[in-house]
Amino acid sequence: MERTQVGIIGAGPAGLVLAARLAAAGIDSVVLECRSRRYVEGRVRAGVLEAATVALLGELGVDARLREQGLVHDGVHLQWRGERHRIDFTGLTGSQVTVYGQQEMVCDLIADRLAAGRDLRFEAEVVDADGALGALPGRADGGVVLRYRDAAGAAHELACDVVAGCDGFHGIARRLVPPSALDVYDRGYPYAWLGILADVAPSTDELIYAFHERGFAMHSMRSPTVSRLYLQVDPDEDLAAWPDERIWEELQIRLGVPGWTLTTGPVRDKGITPMRSYVAEPMRHGRLLLAGDAAHIVPPTGAKGLNLAVADVKVLGDALADWYATGSPAGLDAYSSRCLARVWRVQDFSTWMTTLLHVDPKGDPWDRRLQRSRQDEIVRSRALATNLAENYVGLPLP
């Protein structure tokens, strides 16, 4: 049986950033990812990085391409009733965000890990674990055995001191915890996002979040030549009913303001993503520690999912480094509560942004009028605009 200090399930941002932090502290880890490298590096996800996330990647020495290709944004555009309003992040908070595709960040982390000769195993599907449910009295007491299958179906075992579950909402890590040991908070939304990735230069200098009576729309980007755009649709919408021409036409209607034109181009990828909020707590169960989407999901409106995962593993990496250096489990004992304090603040902001900008299909007149009042107040109140900016650029890392 092979052995490592920390077994990491999942080679997404959470797992890879944690692995890099552990390596910097001299702690050995093995990353097990059930998908292929091609799949992991190709999946299109988030693209807005908080300043603290950028700084952490710099500390880890994996920010060369990010610094070269990332698009630094000093603000964001909010739009309703045919008018566009800019929220000045730098003026209000002194901070910025950087647009850099999650898949690019993942590619950088994978390349760095493999170049250093550190263990990263693709098409390695964890199917079970023993020992993860015990207490954590000391490094020499017990441990965890991860059982996984490789691409050929052969069975393997990996012994670990602890396991970090960084394998996303649908992964196995959270399912290793007995349901009775988790408190689950779950909220669905009556709308979804139809997203496209298009090979066309962005028609905006900064992101546009647009409220329209026909539904929310958003204009983002991934590079000076690639645009990322979204439309609010019903959760059960049929993607086949949305040919490219219809998507571009609807985007023009919802994003349009006088004197501005949306540039169209070839659509490289499109899909529909349901929206939900989810938290499973606590985030630690004995020697199993959950991080990122394995423990919580936020609606994408606030651009927080990736950044929240990075915040989790910063806390976890620090706690593990202290445990190995001193033998004290204090950091690991506090891991869940420290992370959840931030998780719930981010849930609040993401829910607020979502309800501020989406059209509720129930069409309750009271809620619509309150929504309009909130939108007007953001434009009128510097304090409210500052609160939005502070949350968007990112709360301080724990």
Side-chain angles (χ1 to χ4, degrees):
M1 181 187 301
E2 295 181 275
R3 181 167 186 83
T4 189
Q5 290 175 292
V6 181
I8 301 175
I9 309 175
L16 292 168
V17 171
L18 177 60
R21 285 188 64 77
L22 295 177
I27 299 169
D28 185 51
S29 66
V30 174
V31 182
L32 302 175
E33 167 58 49
C34 66
R35 301 281 194 168
S36 68
R37 179 178 181 180
R38 180 178 180 181
Y39 178 89
V40 171
E41 292 185 336
R43 56 188 170 191
V44 178
R45 292 291 187 271
V48 177
L49 306 185
E50 296 174 359
T53 298
V54 173
L56 181 57
L57 294 172
E59 292 175 17
L60 298 174
V62 287
D63 64 337
R65 283 206 311 141
L66 166 61
R67 298 291 182 184
E68 178 184 343
Q69 301 177 18
L71 307 176
V72 177
H73 285 192
D74 295 302
V76 70
H77 300 289
L78 302 180
Q79 179 179 315
W80 36 73
R81 296 184 291 284
E83 295 183 354
R84 199 168 287 173
H85 312 275
R86 184 172 184 269
I87 304 297
D88 182 1
F89 293 159
T90 304
L92 293 169
T93 71
S95 193
Q96 306 160 311
V97 296
T98 301
V99 176
Y100 187 67
Q102 175 176 314
Q103 72 273 23
E104 301 301 332
M105 173 179 158
V106 166
C107 288
D108 296 342
L109 288 160
I110 288 174
D112 178 74
R113 185 164 180 84
L114 295 180
R118 299 189 177 101
D119 208 325
L120 170 54
R121 307 178 189 185
F122 293 101
E123 299 181 88
E125 182 182 9
V126 175
V127 295
D128 197 7
D130 282 340
L133 308 185
L136 193 62
R139 294 194 302 274
D141 301 317
V144 184
V145 176
L146 290 176
R147 298 189 178 92
Y148 70 95
R149 292 190 296 258
D150 62 24
H156 302 268
E157 292 185 340
L158 176 68
C160 324
D161 295 329
V162 294
V163 172
C166 305
D167 53 342
F169 181 76
H170 297 289
I172 190 175
R174 191 177 64 254
R175 300 200 303 273
L176 296 174
V177 182
S180 60
L182 290 175
D183 290 325
V184 173
Y185 304 86
D186 197 0
R187 168 178 289 186
Y189 295 88
Y191 28 73
W193 277 10
L194 190 164
I196 66 169
L197 194 68
D199 291 316
V200 60
S203 305
T204 178
D205 56 340
E206 294 171 335
L207 276 66
I208 304 171
Y209 287 82
F211 170 86
H212 192 279
E213 291 300 321
R214 297 168 69 104
F216 169 79
M218 179 180 177
H219 190 330
S220 182
M221 64 282 291
R222 288 296 178 268
S223 76
T225 60
V226 177
S227 296
R228 182 75 163 147
L229 303 104
Y230 300 93
L231 288 168
Q232 175 186 342
V233 297
D234 292 335
D236 58 355
E237 193 76 27
D238 182 4
L239 188 60
W242 287 87
D244 296 357
E245 295 78 8
R246 182 188 178 191
I247 294 173
W248 285 119
E249 179 181 354
E250 191 66 23
L251 284 165
Q252 179 61 59
I253 292 171
R254 299 189 195 181
L255 290 168
V257 293
W260 181 86
T261 302
L262 176 67
T263 304
T264 64
V267 175
R268 182 195 307 178
D269 181 76
K270 59 183 172 181
I272 293 177
T273 304
M275 301 179 69
R276 74 187 306 172
S277 296
Y278 178 93
V279 180
E281 55 181 66
M283 292 169 59
R284 176 192 164 196
H285 191 74
R287 295 175 180 268
L288 173 63
L289 302 112
L290 303 176
D293 287 1
H296 42 72
I297 297 286
V298 293
T301 322
K304 292 298 158 196
L306 165 62
N307 295 290
L308 198 53
V310 171
D312 286 350
V313 295
K314 178 186 182 299
V315 176
L316 181 53
D318 291 347
L320 286 168
D322 183 64
W323 183 53
Y324 278 106
T326 69
S328 170
L332 293 174
D333 290 342
Y335 166 69
S336 181
S337 60
R338 287 186 64 193
C339 288
L340 285 169
R342 182 187 179 93
V343 166
W344 282 108
R345 293 310 313 138
V346 169
Q347 288 286 6
D348 184 36
F349 174 68
S350 298
T351 301
W352 180 77
M353 282 282 286
T354 300
T355 56
L356 178 76
L357 293 165
H358 287 75
V359 174
D360 190 332
K362 292 185 296 184
D364 183 273
W366 179 271
D367 290 340
R368 287 286 186 94
R369 195 60 188 85
L370 285 179
Q371 183 183 42
R372 178 170 180 167
S373 176
R374 294 186 186 110
Q375 292 169 350
D376 291 340
E377 188 69 3
I378 291 171
V379 178
R380 187 200 67 79
S381 169
R382 180 180 177 88
L384 190 55
T386 300
N387 181 262
L388 187 158
E390 287 175 344
N391 280 274
Y392 198 95
V393 300
L395 303 171
L397 290 179

